[in-house]
Amino acid sequence: MTDTPAPARDYRDTVFLPKTDFPMKAGLAAKEPAILERWAKLGIYDRLREQRLGRERFILHDGPPYANGDIHMGHAMNKVLKDIIVRSQSLMGKDAPYVPGWDCHGLPIEWKVEEAYRAKKLNKDDVPVDQFRAECRAYAEKWVDVQKGEFERLGVMGDWADPYLTMKYDAEATIVGELLKFAESGQLYRGAKPVMWSPVEKTALAEAEVEYEDIVSTQIDVAFEIVDAPNAAELVGAHAVIWTTTPWTIPVNQALSYGPEIEYVLLADGDRRFLIAEALVGSFNARTLSSRHPGESRDPSTQVGDGGKVGPGVRRDDGAEGAIMWRGKGSDLEGATARHPMHALGGFFAKPRPFLPGDFVTTDAGTGLVHMSPDHGEDDFELCKQYGIDPVFAVDGAGMYRADWAWLGGQGSVINKKFVAADGPICTDLRSTGALLAASDDFKHSYPHSWRSKAKVIFRATPQWFIPMDAATSVGTQGASTSLSRNGVGDAAAPPFAPNEVAGPGSSNGATLREIALDAIAATTWIPARSENRITSMVQGRPDWVISRQRAWGVPIALFVNRATGQYLNDPAVNARIVEAFRQNGADAWYADGHQALLGSDYDLADYEVVKDILDVWFDSGCTHVFTVEARYGEGTRANLYLEGSDQHRGWFQSSLLESCGTRGRAPYDAVLTHGFALDGQGRKMSKSLGNVVDPLKIIGESGADILRMWVASTDYFDDVKIGKEVLATASDSYRKLRNTFRYMLGALEGFDESERVAVSDMPELERYVLHRLGMIDTELRQAAEGYEFNRYTRLLTDFANEDLSAFFFDIRKDSLYCDAPGDVKRRAYRTVLDVLFHALVRYAAPVLCFTAEEVWQSRFPSEDSSVHYLEWPSLPSLDADDVVGAKWQEIRALRVAVTEAIEPLRREKTVRSSLEAEITVPTMLLDADALAEAFIVAKVTPGDAVTVTRTDFHKCGRCWRHLPEVTTDGELCDRCEEVVAHA
């Protein structure tokens, strides 16, 4: 028989491997709902308020989304970012309440209810207003409930039991109360000005309700015959040429405008003469040649070339060939008049059209002459107003010419492409008079559209209610003038009043609303800083605030206007009754039959017009700081932070600013944070037509909310951000690594108790260095949280976990954890630091990974009533101020990288299978040889001129697998392992 060697002993049962039930696979989609249910049972939000009672308060005031449809990625990004900030402020020990809210009034909801009507072939106007408003309220309530559940599923913690809704009775009462403050202080007037109007939705729109899209429009050149020219008699009988891309405004033309310093020329074309700016002769010729219709002719020899040079065939003033017939400045046109191409219709169209000087007239495009329609342009309105020319209100709310209009009466709509086309009725009629010189359906430009209906909007002069930007006022004073136009609103079929007679608010020696708002902007912190310039420029250039809408679902402009004087009633007692009626019965009170009761015995309802317009929803949301922040936390309280997308500089940020400045003389916020938009993986705007919409609910259902939260926190959200499969895969990978870090710590800390704890002064250098690094990271994380820089915050956290811990500290100390005796000081020190790291990292992660942090905490400290979200910012062990360990170990880490790089070629060549088989020389012995070998995870380190690597001759310990000199045969035990096993 032959002796067979005994098999090597298996020492695995003597190694102290990490033990934990915490799974590597997250399974978030299934786990998160159970965590939400637990939080609901705990009443975690209310309990946290109790725990933080009396602490410094931090208020992030929620901007209200519309209650109309499932949430989209923009909602998810916005709410998650808010939740991360609120949770981080709570972590820093503050009382950080979060009251979510919804915008429940206005066109978005009304439009959806109307869509349902249209599907049933019903007309909204045939439905009683109280019934229609009830349906709008029910629709909003439905979507509030739906969105509430979706936001909660994202892990957003807040007062979901009592959110603010703009349609709550108290809110509606507050909104009308704020309106009446403007009225009482004289900061309110009614006037007819051109505003953006949606013919489809039949209401005025705010700038924030409009988006711009590139379209192709009809461009036309139209000739107006000059009938008088006191400063240039040669022009009489000639034709002034205008160019426009809105042919539908020609039927409402009332004047022509010129630039006083522009050079104009008179060109001959057969027996006709045309007046245009000299600089635009070339482009005029190009248009008129390219758009000739069959039967029309124009001799090319009479064309004027580019740059204003006259071609052969143009008659000079002396009758010779090749010269311009007249040249002069725009100022020569002062006092001139022309007649409308449709003057034969008589009446409105027979009135002379004066030439008016306009500083807005340029030679950038067109002809250098601009036709004026005060109904349909801001410049037109202001210039015509100076000369006593009023709007005529020819186009109704649906975009149709009113029935009694002499030209095209009852026809339209003016946004109908066929109606305004080169072969449409407007151009056909102009062509028949010989006035249409050019018409083509090929002009490409950007044009405003309603962001709801996607239909084109128009500028339309209508009677509206305004808050003035430039009227001097004293905020908070009473009794200012409330003078209005004499004739009230009236019927749009005839001019309701002369706009140039509209009286604005009373004046005082105070600052204007614009000045107050600009001062408030300067006193506010804007994040990022560049956003201050954006809102500043918007407020500097904005017109008066149009606060009225011609719709049904909203807070009514609860004013009584005296039919005889045109003044709105400004009686504090009446106003108080209005507010109380709204508080008891909501805004529906205004649509009931109780107006005489509201007026009281001092006034007769027959003497007053009851205003039927409703408030712009931006005014509603601009008041949320009053019925949410002030109502819950005390009068005068303002939010620490507003946070919304960059589009809200012209929306909620601005409406809140103006409302608060107009009633309180200050902004409602201390700071404003702006984030970008969520785009698809290729950086494109998401749209159903492109099929590139990324649904947050689908992501949550498949991967869990924490993956989405990880993505939000990892983005540079101050700019637009991308999300798609690759981006989410990156977020998932970062999440997985961080989860595995927690899993390792949970396993490594199994059974840890206070008896193991080692004082910092007794720890090895490596442990002290890691605590030093933790202290540095802690400071940076706090700075990032305080500055709302969660991209930086998340990167600091994940880099620390991956690079400082997993790839370095854990890697070095796994030998001590697995193989040292449980009572060994080094192992105890390591576990002590792991405990410190665990308590710190689980807290740091909680604002971002709210579900996972709770799962981690409960895995180590299971409890019926505890939560990681009750915890505060970690308190770390103090290190000596003169501790130089940090600098020393940074050098060791750099040397470790060099060693690893030197070993890698030998590993690829299979000279060594792992770093444990390598012997190293290094130029600097920063620690003793054994400590360096442990840090580099090699067999031996000796001094040398450079980093070199050879294979060791030492044998391998059968338990710890290290190659050590005392091991004489592979598989035998080293001295340490032999002692540990002996005492096991």
Side-chain angles (χ1 to χ4, degrees):
M1 291 180 63
T2 312
D3 291 336
T4 302
R9 180 182 166 186
D10 186 346
Y11 291 101
R12 282 181 295 185
D13 61 339
T14 71
V15 176
F16 306 111
L17 296 175
K19 297 177 183 178
T20 180
D21 293 328
F22 188 79
M24 183 182 297
K25 185 175 175 60
L28 294 173
K31 288 177 184 173
E32 289 172 346
I35 295 174
L36 280 173
E37 186 177 348
R38 180 177 181 273
W39 286 342
K41 289 179 180 177
L42 282 177
I44 188 172
Y45 177 81
D46 292 334
R47 189 175 295 188
L48 195 52
R49 299 284 68 74
E50 294 170 5
Q51 292 180 3
R52 297 292 193 271
L53 187 64
R55 300 286 189 88
E56 178 186 352
R57 186 182 287 128
F58 177 89
I59 301 172
L60 188 158
H61 181 40
D62 188 32
Y66 282 119
N68 64 335
D70 290 310
I71 66 170
H72 53 65
M73 190 56 73
H75 288 128
M77 177 179 170
N78 176 267
K79 292 295 187 185
V80 166
L81 184 53
K82 288 174 180 175
D83 188 61
I84 290 172
I85 289 174
V86 170
R87 288 181 186 273
S88 68
Q89 292 291 324
S90 180
L91 180 64
M92 289 186 284
K94 296 178 184 177
D95 179 12
Y98 175 69
V99 181
W102 276 270
D103 217 336
C104 303
H105 293 132
L107 201 49
I109 287 134
E110 194 167 340
W111 187 252
K112 290 293 184 181
V113 174
E114 284 190 41
E115 280 184 349
Y117 280 6
R118 287 190 288 273
K120 299 175 183 177
K121 299 189 178 344
L122 297 175
N123 187 337
K124 180 206 91 169
D125 297 333
D126 296 334
V127 179
V129 66
D130 57 343
Q131 178 183 329
F132 180 74
R133 286 174 59 85
E135 291 186 52
C136 289
R137 182 177 291 276
Y139 180 90
E141 287 173 346
K142 167 195 167 185
W143 284 109
V144 165
D145 288 341
V146 171
Q147 290 186 4
K148 186 191 299 183
E150 293 169 346
F151 288 140
E152 287 188 89
R153 182 62 187 86
L154 286 168
V156 179
M157 180 172 62
D159 193 356
W160 297 108
D162 187 23
Y164 77 79
L165 308 177
T166 58
M167 67 180 180
K168 283 184 177 179
Y169 289 0
D170 279 349
E172 292 180 332
T174 300
I175 292 166
V176 80
E178 293 297 299
L179 168 71
L180 293 173
K181 287 181 183 178
F182 278 94
E184 290 173 3
S185 63
Q187 297 183 85
L188 191 62
Y189 73 95
R190 183 165 60 177
K193 290 184 179 182
V195 296
M196 281 188 285
W197 181 275
S198 170
V200 172
E201 292 142 319
K202 299 180 184 178
T203 188
L205 298 178
E207 180 68 26
E209 297 172 292
V210 169
E211 59 189 10
Y212 287 79
E213 295 180 9
D214 291 336
I215 63 168
V216 177
S217 293
T218 300
Q219 57 176 331
I220 62 173
D221 289 82
V222 181
F224 286 69
E225 184 181 357
I226 301 171
V227 295
D228 189 22
N231 299 317
E234 309 94 314
L235 300 182
V236 176
H239 288 78
V241 182
I242 66 91
W243 170 84
T244 182
T245 60
T246 54
W248 61 270
T249 59
I250 296 295
V252 203
N253 167 273
Q254 297 202 63
L256 303 178
S257 185
Y258 59 86
E261 298 302 316
I262 294 175
E263 295 282 346
Y264 292 91
V265 293
L266 190 65
L267 310 176
D269 182 5
D271 60 354
R272 304 180 79 188
R273 295 169 295 153
F274 300 121
L275 179 70
I276 64 170
E278 186 171 12
L280 293 167
V281 168
S283 57
F284 168 68
N285 277 332
R287 289 195 303 274
T288 53
L289 273 179
S290 64
S291 64
R292 288 284 163 181
H293 281 250
E296 294 181 299
S297 64
R298 186 174 175 192
D299 184 354
S301 67
T302 66
Q303 297 304 306
V304 178
D306 290 337
K309 295 181 180 178
V310 181
V314 176
R315 292 195 303 275
R316 216 170 42 215
D317 54 0
D318 59 3
E321 294 287 323
I324 291 172
M325 300 196 66
W326 177 88
R327 176 184 281 109
K329 279 194 173 289
S331 54
D332 295 332
L333 301 177
E334 182 179 358
T337 58
R339 62 182 182 180
H340 195 284
M342 304 300 292
H343 61 88
L345 293 173
F348 169 81
F349 295 97
K351 294 178 182 179
R353 267 50 180 176
F355 282 76
L356 306 177
D359 57 11
F360 51 82
V361 180
T362 71
T363 55
D364 293 341
T367 64
L369 294 169
V370 180
H371 102 86
M372 295 282 98
S373 175
D375 285 81
H376 302 297
E378 291 182 271
D379 291 333
D380 309 47
F381 176 84
E382 295 297 336
L383 181 60
C384 287
K385 181 179 178 180
Q386 293 177 33
Y387 291 89
I389 302 172
D390 302 327
V392 292
F393 310 100
V395 177
D396 70 14
M400 312 289 286
Y401 295 107
R402 69 187 203 220
D404 65 346
W405 201 241
W407 183 22
L408 303 168
Q411 297 187 48
S413 163
V414 298
I415 62 171
N416 184 299
K417 195 167 186 176
K418 291 183 179 179
F419 185 71
V420 299
D423 58 356
I426 298 172
C427 289
T428 298
D429 288 350
L430 289 172
R431 191 176 292 113
S432 69
T433 68
L436 189 68
L437 304 182
S440 58
D441 303 321
D442 59 359
F443 184 73
K444 297 178 181 178
H445 62 131
S446 180
Y447 192 86
H449 292 67
S450 166
W451 68 267
R452 279 175 293 269
S453 67
K454 307 304 178 185
K456 291 193 293 185
V457 302
I458 62 174
F459 271 96
R460 176 175 178 253
T462 59
Q464 301 290 344
W465 290 90
F466 296 86
I467 291 174
M469 293 298 297
D470 298 308
T473 184
S474 179
V475 175
T477 61
Q478 306 264 333
S481 167
T482 55
S483 177
L484 290 173
S485 61
R486 185 164 299 279
N487 297 317
V489 175
D491 183 354
F497 52 84
N500 59 317
E501 297 176 0
V502 174
S507 63
S508 74
N509 295 322
T512 68
L513 179 56
R514 193 186 310 275
E515 291 167 343
I516 296 170
L518 289 172
D519 285 346
I521 289 171
T524 298
T525 300
W526 297 89
I527 308 165
R530 64 178 182 268
S531 62
E532 180 176 353
N533 294 332
R534 183 175 186 187
I535 193 166
T536 297
S537 64
M538 287 180 172
V539 171
Q540 284 174 334
R542 69 159 295 140
D544 290 350
W545 185 2
V546 188
I547 62 166
S548 50
R549 296 292 183 270
Q550 291 65 51
R551 303 296 292 186
W553 175 232
V555 176
I557 295 178
L559 294 173
F560 295 102
V561 177
N562 190 292
R563 297 184 187 275
T565 67
Q567 291 183 321
Y568 59 77
L569 181 62
N570 190 359
D571 184 326
V574 173
N575 292 345
R577 284 194 290 270
I578 292 171
V579 172
E580 183 57 28
F582 277 43
R583 201 172 304 282
Q584 294 299 320
N585 301 297
D588 291 341
W590 194 248
Y591 298 92
D593 296 327
H595 291 106
Q596 183 61 65
L598 295 175
L599 283 169
S601 58
D602 293 337
Y603 306 99
D604 187 347
L605 179 60
D607 296 334
Y608 288 88
E609 169 204 347
V610 178
V611 176
K612 295 298 185 184
D613 289 348
I614 66 168
L615 280 165
D616 169 19
V617 290
W618 291 110
F619 189 92
D620 283 21
S621 59
C623 296
T624 59
H625 68 99
V626 186
F627 58 79
T628 305
V629 178
E630 290 191 357
R632 297 188 188 220
Y633 309 114
E635 187 174 348
T637 303
R638 61 178 165 186
N640 298 84
L641 183 68
Y642 274 35
L643 185 162
E644 299 299 330
S646 56
D647 58 335
Q648 295 308 312
H649 288 112
R650 64 174 183 170
W652 188 56
F653 296 156
Q654 193 172 149
S655 66
S656 299
L657 173 74
L658 297 181
E659 199 288 326
S660 185
C661 286
T663 55
R664 289 151 177 79
R666 58 161 176 79
Y669 37 65
D670 292 329
V672 175
L673 188 153
T674 304
H675 63 75
F677 294 101
L679 309 176
D680 75 1
Q682 284 70 52
R684 300 174 300 173
K685 183 179 178 181
M686 295 185 199
S687 73
K688 292 179 180 178
S689 60
L690 290 176
N692 66 338
V693 174
V694 181
D695 184 358
L697 301 175
K698 184 177 180 181
I699 294 171
I700 294 170
E702 294 176 352
S703 304
D706 267 359
I707 299 300
L708 197 59
R709 294 174 68 96
M710 188 76 176
W711 165 74
V712 171
S714 301
T715 62
D716 185 7
Y717 43 77
F718 296 131
D719 295 307
D720 292 346
V721 297
K722 298 177 183 178
I723 184 169
K725 289 184 178 179
E726 291 183 4
V727 176
L728 284 171
T730 301
S732 296
D733 187 57
S734 296
Y735 170 84
R736 178 184 56 79
K737 291 177 180 178
L738 195 54
R739 182 180 182 88
N740 284 343
T741 299
F742 282 120
R743 184 172 186 271
Y744 171 82
M745 287 194 292
L746 286 167
L749 285 166
E750 194 268 335
F752 178 83
D753 61 40
E754 286 301 310
S755 65
E756 279 190 62
R757 194 170 298 279
V758 175
V760 174
S761 58
D762 296 331
M763 291 181 179
E765 271 194 1
L766 177 56
E767 276 65 27
R768 289 161 55 205
Y769 165 69
V770 170
L771 290 177
H772 170 78
R773 284 289 299 143
L774 177 62
M776 293 176 62
I777 293 296
D778 180 87
T779 299
E780 291 188 67
L781 285 169
R782 188 160 195 133
Q783 290 172 347
E786 289 171 344
Y788 314 122
E789 299 176 272
F790 287 94
N791 170 278
R792 177 179 166 223
Y793 183 99
T794 305
R795 188 172 63 252
L796 283 166
L797 179 59
T798 55
D799 286 353
F800 179 68
N802 296 336
E803 297 170 15
D804 291 83
L805 300 184
S806 295
F808 178 68
F809 186 45
F810 296 170
D811 192 36
I812 293 171
R813 281 293 187 248
K814 65 177 180 286
D815 173 74
S816 177
L817 178 70
Y818 299 170
C819 299
D820 282 350
D824 183 87
V825 172
K826 182 168 64 176
R827 187 176 190 273
R828 287 171 52 215
Y830 178 53
R831 298 235 298 171
T832 299
V833 172
L834 283 180
D835 180 66
V836 173
L837 288 168
F838 176 88
H839 279 278
L841 264 64
V842 76
R843 286 166 167 83
Y844 299 150
V848 178
L849 304 179
C850 63
F851 292 104
T852 301
E854 188 72 277
E855 182 189 3
V856 169
W857 183 258
Q858 293 298 323
S859 292
R860 188 174 178 202
F861 303 112
S863 169
E864 291 293 325
D865 59 359
S866 72
S867 172
V868 70
H869 299 292
Y870 296 154
L871 305 178
E872 296 185 28
W873 198 269
S875 178
L876 302 180
S878 59
L879 296 172
D880 293 339
D882 61 347
D883 196 347
V884 295
V885 170
K888 177 179 178 181
W889 274 86
Q890 284 299 103
E891 288 188 63
I892 294 171
R893 289 184 70 171
L895 188 57
R896 188 174 188 264
V897 171
V899 168
T900 302
E901 290 175 351
I903 292 172
E904 190 55 34
L906 277 71
R907 194 197 304 269
R908 287 198 300 268
E909 296 164 4
K910 296 187 172 31
T911 302
V912 298
R913 287 169 295 180
S914 77
S915 63
L916 289 168
E917 297 177 351
E919 290 190 7
I920 308 296
T921 64
V922 294
T924 306
M925 297 291 287
L926 296 168
L927 299 171
D928 64 59
D930 288 344
L932 276 181
E934 183 180 33
F936 297 159
I937 314 180
V938 296
K940 183 179 180 182
V941 178
T942 55
D945 295 331
V947 175
T948 64
V949 184
T950 58
R951 180 181 172 82
T952 185
D953 291 329
F954 295 157
H955 290 282
K956 178 180 177 181
C957 173
R959 181 170 177 268
C960 67
W961 296 359
R962 292 184 64 184
H963 291 251
L964 296 165
E966 67 264 28
V967 181
T968 57
T969 305
D970 284 351
E972 296 297 322
L973 297 183
C974 66
D975 293 346
R976 173 194 59 173
C977 287
E978 189 170 317
E979 183 177 353
V980 172
V981 170
H983 292 86

